Amino acid sequence: MSTYPSLFESFLGGLEASLSVLLTLGYGVAAARFGLISPIAMKDASRLCNKLFLPALLFVNVGSQLTGDNLDKYWPVLFWSLFYMLMSVLIGFTTVKLFKVPAWVTIAAAFNNTNSLPLLLVQALTSTNILQSLLSGDETMEAAIDRAKSYFLICSAIKDVLAISLGSKLLNAGKTVDEQRDQQNQVARMQDGPSLQPGDEDRQATENSPLLPVAGLGRMYTWNYDVMNRAYSKLSPAGQATVSVFAALINPASIGAVLAVFIGLTPSLHKVFFSKFEEGGYLRPWLTVSIQNVGNLYTVLQMFVVGGLLNVSLQKTGDNKLRKSAVAITFFVRFILWGVIGIPLIYYLASRTTLLSDDPILWFAMMIMPIGPPAMLLSTVLEVTGAPERDQIAIAKVLAILYSVTPVICITVVAALKAAEAAKLVRGL
């Protein structure tokens, strides 16, 4: 039988894990502050994380964990992610109207960091052993953490789709449909990565220049985009709305998730990709392991880069007046409200109903999914929607403040752990 840590042990373990996350963030800030990495390099690394490393991590973690037999563990994650994010949008929109705070508060309150932060947090929790009490039977901690990561990655893929499709609309409710659609496309292209700047094509070639000039690729992309744009403009309003929805669904993270689900739910493919070699996993030793190696680069590197990007954002100068009410509302929604709502709700569903499977790690993960600072994508959304410079400076400061207080999440971690332990006892597991 699993031993249950004391409240103090749980709090200390959660605090240590939270501090580990904050220190990783701080290393990125220090590296940027001392010029060890340039702003362009950080944006390139962030784009690489989101376009390559995250899809690879999604493919391996979700694909290996998901099968037809345990599909009941993943449907709750899907619905819970959609529910809390859409409810957060409604809460943010309401507070903007009631308290007359800037419109960016809506998306700051709606979309939290659902990838690098929780992944690094649960990874750090393994060293504290406080999750030992949530293991089932003879399950290993490594297997439980891999499953927890797959839950967070599904949530992350949903967040990316909603943030890209709704972010610009929430900030620009008064703009035309075409303007909102153009900004939505730009958010999707710029997500956590730099775009070609005017004059880039005129840079002098050197011995380090690629054989196929980047400017040529840029012009090719622009030509294809213009052709697609003209075709789009000829569609009916209903057709344009349908295309916009599908365009928001197409991003590297969602593609990785779809491939993972397809292979996970196809027994023959799941076997060759994820089973042991002697059991028919002929692709695992070379293909799957190589993808896994790439995916494993994501968690720490992305959190490190987030720290560097926060430092870059804070270098902006201008009107530095920051409304305390905007910070307070975002903090309240992101760190307090969803803890108060989510933990009792998931506890009730886990202990009093059969809607959730017999997996305490799932309950714990769902409890802490809505908690944490806003996603860094918020800065990109503000930039491409033409938000005033003062708003961009303000959100940079808000992000810095809320990421710096990340250790307060340890309170939620302890509450979620104890609630999951209590539900486990009620279920007789």
Side-chain angles (χ1 to χ4, degrees):
M1 178 181 293
S2 300
T3 57
Y4 292 86
S6 67
L7 185 62
F8 176 75
E9 291 173 333
S10 299
F11 178 79
L12 185 60
L15 180 61
E16 289 174 343
S18 303
L19 288 175
S20 173
V21 173
L22 182 62
L23 284 173
T24 304
L25 191 75
Y27 299 149
V29 173
R33 177 72 64 177
F34 292 106
L36 298 179
I37 183 171
S38 69
I40 292 297
M42 283 183 290
K43 290 186 176 182
D44 284 340
S46 183
R47 182 169 58 180
L48 188 62
C49 284
N50 286 283
K51 304 295 185 184
L52 179 61
F53 299 160
L54 179 57
L57 188 63
L58 262 163
F59 176 81
V60 174
N61 276 71
V62 176
S64 62
Q65 295 292 326
L66 180 63
T67 64
D69 295 332
N70 65 6
L71 191 59
D72 60 323
K73 294 182 179 180
Y74 289 87
W75 284 117
V77 174
L78 175 64
F79 288 116
W80 174 240
S81 300
L82 288 170
F83 172 76
Y84 91 74
M85 290 180 196
L86 294 177
M87 283 299 297
S88 295
V89 169
L90 180 60
I91 293 170
F93 185 78
T94 303
T95 56
V96 166
K97 295 298 183 183
L98 289 178
F99 299 101
K100 308 301 181 183
V101 291
W104 54 258
V105 171
T106 301
I107 52 178
F111 305 114
N112 59 308
N113 186 321
T114 57
N115 37 44
S116 56
L117 190 147
L119 291 176
L120 193 58
L121 180 64
V122 295
Q123 186 172 303
L125 287 173
T126 60
S127 61
T128 66
N129 287 325
I130 65 172
L131 295 183
Q132 197 76 30
S133 59
L134 301 183
L135 301 185
S136 303
D138 57 355
E139 181 181 39
T140 64
M141 178 63 72
E142 182 180 3
I145 292 301
D146 285 343
R147 192 168 65 256
K149 288 181 178 180
S150 70
Y151 298 145
F152 286 115
L153 288 168
I154 290 292
C155 179
S156 173
I158 295 169
K159 183 264 294 181
D160 285 344
V161 170
L162 290 180
I164 291 173
S165 59
L166 297 179
S168 58
K169 291 182 175 63
L170 293 172
L171 286 176
N172 297 301
K175 294 191 175 183
T176 66
V177 174
D178 286 341
E179 289 174 329
Q180 292 184 20
R181 185 251 307 164
D182 289 340
Q183 290 179 348
Q184 175 183 312
N185 292 336
Q186 193 174 358
V187 171
R189 294 197 306 274
M190 287 184 62
Q191 183 180 1
D192 295 314
S195 58
L196 287 174
Q197 300 298 322
D200 282 357
E201 64 275 10
D202 297 327
R203 290 175 181 168
Q204 184 176 1
T206 69
E207 67 275 9
N208 295 321
S209 298
L211 295 178
L212 183 60
V214 173
L217 290 175
R219 284 192 293 270
M220 185 187 304
Y221 179 88
T222 301
W223 181 82
N224 287 330
Y225 178 72
D226 289 342
V227 171
M228 294 173 62
N229 202 34
R230 286 195 296 270
Y232 178 90
S233 63
K234 295 179 181 179
L235 297 175
S236 65
Q240 291 181 355
T242 302
V243 170
S244 295
V245 170
F246 280 103
L249 294 174
I250 301 175
N251 62 73
S254 63
I255 292 172
V258 169
L259 288 175
V261 171
F262 175 73
I263 292 177
L265 296 180
T266 306
S268 58
L269 292 177
H270 189 278
K271 180 179 180 179
V272 296
F273 271 94
F274 302 113
S275 295
K276 295 179 180 179
F277 182 79
E278 57 271 20
E279 297 174 356
Y282 303 119
L283 298 181
R284 180 181 178 182
W286 58 279
L287 181 57
T288 304
V289 169
S290 66
I291 298 174
Q292 184 177 26
N293 291 338
V294 172
N296 287 342
L297 296 172
Y298 174 79
T299 305
V300 176
L301 180 58
Q302 176 65 4
M303 204 63 197
F304 180 88
V305 169
V306 165
L309 292 175
L310 283 175
N311 178 74
V312 172
S313 298
L314 289 174
Q315 302 307 309
K316 295 180 178 180
T317 58
D319 183 6
N320 58 4
K321 186 177 181 180
L322 181 62
R323 292 187 60 177
K324 294 180 181 179
S325 57
V327 180
I329 290 171
T330 306
F331 176 84
F332 176 75
V333 175
R334 288 271 49 91
F335 287 94
I336 299 176
L337 180 63
W338 278 110
V340 173
I341 295 175
I343 293 176
L345 178 59
I346 300 301
Y347 168 78
Y348 176 82
L349 294 176
S351 62
R352 306 299 178 185
T353 74
T354 57
L355 294 176
L356 301 181
S357 64
D358 295 338
D359 183 5
I361 290 292
L362 169 64
W363 312 337
F364 174 78
M366 291 178 67
M367 289 176 185
I368 65 175
M369 273 178 192
I371 315 299
M376 289 297 294
L377 179 60
L378 175 57
S379 295
T380 301
V381 174
L382 283 173
E383 180 181 349
V384 302
T385 53
E389 184 71 12
R390 64 177 182 275
D391 283 352
Q392 296 186 39
I393 296 174
I395 193 57
K397 293 184 176 182
V398 170
L399 289 171
I401 292 171
L402 296 184
Y403 274 90
S404 67
V405 299
T406 295
V408 302
I409 202 175
C410 69
I411 299 173
T412 305
V413 169
V414 174
L417 175 66
K418 292 305 176 183
E421 288 174 353
K424 183 180 178 184
L425 287 175
V426 173
R427 292 277 283 260
L429 301 178

